[in-house]
Amino acid sequence: MKVYIKNMVCDRCRYVIKNILVEMDIRPASVMLGEVDLGELAMNTQQLDVFREKIEALGFELISDKKSRLIENIKKQVLELIQQQEAEKTNLSDYLSRKLFHDYTYLSNLFSSVEGITIEQYAINHRIEKVKELLIYDELSLTEIACRLGYSSVAHLSRQFKKVTGQTASQFKSLRDSVQRKSLDKA
């Protein structure tokens, strides 16, 4: 049995969901972003209701229809691409089409109609959050960050950062308080 969950965007989310299941004495085969695989196990209606209550209290949501699952899978793939993209430029549309076995136009139209923003803007917002995270850690230069996240140049990263945040990377770095960064799971 597989259970699909909305708003799982990070490893911390996976950890929380897994702990809830363990507390309920349910041992999942795997917990991935947006998906719990229970293997041969199945939750009865009462367990599913308890699980739903527990996760909704934390901002998660069970997904039952195919389109909602596809949208969550788009988000999952975008986040995985951002996390794995080390110095390699990958075309987002080709990547999503290949991973999700759907035409990108269909994915894009579905995502935009439900989420109210384009897939590209969603990806940009999350890339900028990753840039903020890396700037806060202060271990990499802007050039290294641009390279790591697949930007064509530091200038491109800087323009996008300014457009999304309203400030330059240098201004952000100098402010560095926790208010500046919103968690990826809150976006």
Side-chain angles (χ1 to χ4, degrees):
M1 173 182 186
K2 288 191 178 184
V3 179
Y4 300 94
I5 303 170
K6 185 175 182 175
N7 299 327
M8 285 182 70
V9 296
C10 63
D11 288 336
R12 187 175 50 241
C13 297
R14 292 174 47 205
Y15 177 78
V16 167
I17 295 297
K18 186 172 183 175
N19 281 345
I20 290 171
L21 290 166
V22 170
E23 284 174 13
M24 294 176 63
D25 204 27
I26 298 170
R27 304 283 183 246
S30 67
V31 178
M32 298 169 281
L33 294 179
E35 181 180 308
V36 174
D37 185 354
L38 298 173
E40 299 299 315
L41 299 174
M43 281 196 236
N44 61 38
T45 307
Q46 182 183 9
Q47 287 174 315
L48 203 53
D49 289 341
V50 169
F51 182 64
R52 179 181 287 112
E53 269 182 43
K54 288 179 180 267
I55 67 168
E56 285 179 356
L58 298 171
F60 300 107
E61 191 178 317
L62 285 180
I63 303 171
S64 54
D65 66 280
K66 275 182 150 183
K67 287 184 178 181
S68 293
R69 284 198 306 256
L70 183 55
I71 288 169
E72 285 304 305
N73 209 358
I74 291 169
K75 290 178 180 180
K76 172 186 167 184
Q77 294 302 324
V78 167
L79 294 173
E80 285 180 3
L81 177 63
I82 290 168
Q83 293 299 326
Q84 78 179 11
Q85 207 166 42
E86 296 283 332
E88 178 187 321
K89 277 196 63 142
T90 302
N91 182 294
L92 180 63
S93 58
D94 292 342
Y95 177 81
L96 290 175
S97 293
R98 188 174 65 250
K99 287 288 199 172
L100 301 175
F101 308 106
H102 285 283
D103 179 64
Y104 183 74
T105 303
Y106 170 75
L107 295 173
S108 180
N109 290 336
L110 175 65
F111 191 90
S112 296
S113 69
V114 173
E115 294 295 317
I117 63 170
T118 64
I119 293 173
E120 291 82 5
Q121 192 58 51
Y122 179 82
I124 288 167
N125 291 344
H126 283 279
R127 280 173 89 191
I128 294 301
E129 288 305 313
K130 185 68 176 174
V131 170
K132 288 179 182 180
E133 178 184 314
L134 294 171
L135 285 171
I136 288 170
Y137 290 155
D138 199 27
E139 295 175 359
L140 301 173
S141 70
L142 208 52
T143 303
E144 292 168 319
I145 292 171
C147 186
R148 178 174 282 192
L149 294 179
Y151 282 95
S152 58
S153 67
V154 174
H156 181 216
L157 182 155
S158 297
R159 278 191 306 274
Q160 219 171 55
F161 192 93
K162 173 90 172 171
K163 185 176 179 183
V164 171
T165 67
Q167 58 190 353
T168 66
S170 303
Q171 289 170 329
F172 174 82
K173 201 169 180 179
S174 67
L175 294 176
R176 260 199 229 167
D177 60 49
S178 60
V179 179
Q180 290 296 314
R181 213 182 145 261
K182 63 182 175 189
S183 176
L184 290 176
D185 54 359
K186 299 281 190 221

